[in-house]
Amino acid sequence: MPTQNKDKYTAEQKKKAAHIEDSYESKGVSKGEAESRAWATVNKQSGGGEKKGGSGTKKPASAKSHDRKDSAKRAAATKHGAPRNKGGQSLDAQTKVDLMQRARGLNISGRSTMSKQELISAIRKAA
């Protein structure tokens, strides 16, 4: 059953719920069931009552832009063989396949014929 207090909802949400409720009632659904379905739909679509703040609302646009660029740079670096975090996994603990991918990202020539130890040496020299 829907809650009686709808103060936290915006006018748009209330209007949408009323429209949905009318639609259900015109299809023969009881008043209570129509109201329940209408508010369930509004909650599903908008996440409930009016929200104050939220994720990232206090961060200035310039900081958001900087963070997006920084994230893109990290993603590109990871794609090209850089470790995902600063500590990273030690080269000795990585598989040969991982080392090959990293060597490919560093454009190390002759990597396909190298042993695991040779790959580790080449990566350390290139990095």
Side-chain angles (χ1 to χ4, degrees):
M1 178 138 185
T3 58
Q4 299 302 313
N5 186 355
K6 305 291 185 209
D7 293 340
K8 300 256 181 204
Y9 290 90
T10 64
E12 182 182 352
Q13 289 170 320
K14 291 175 185 177
K15 184 177 177 181
K16 183 183 272 190
H19 177 74
I20 295 169
E21 184 177 342
D22 291 342
S23 176
Y24 276 122
E25 286 177 7
S26 70
K27 294 177 184 174
V29 177
S30 71
K31 171 91 173 134
E33 180 65 18
E35 181 183 8
S36 180
R37 288 183 185 183
W39 283 106
T41 302
V42 169
N43 287 335
K44 176 79 171 176
Q45 292 176 348
S46 64
E50 184 177 13
K51 303 287 190 263
K52 300 287 187 199
S55 178
T57 56
K58 295 181 181 176
K59 190 180 283 191
S62 60
K64 290 179 189 178
S65 175
H66 177 268
D67 288 349
R68 279 192 298 272
K69 287 178 185 172
D70 186 45
S71 177
K73 285 178 186 174
R74 284 194 318 273
T78 299
K79 180 179 178 184
H80 295 293
R84 292 195 174 134
N85 55 25
K86 289 186 179 180
Q89 191 178 23
S90 74
L91 293 176
D92 294 322
Q94 292 184 9
T95 65
K96 186 173 179 182
V97 173
D98 292 335
L99 293 169
M100 289 290 282
Q101 288 176 342
R102 189 147 176 204
R104 185 178 307 120
L106 294 170
N107 290 324
I108 296 173
S109 61
R111 63 185 174 270
S112 62
T113 59
M114 291 182 184
S115 68
K116 183 174 177 179
Q117 287 305 315
E118 290 170 330
L119 282 168
I120 291 170
S121 291
I123 291 170
R124 286 189 176 137
K125 287 178 188 173

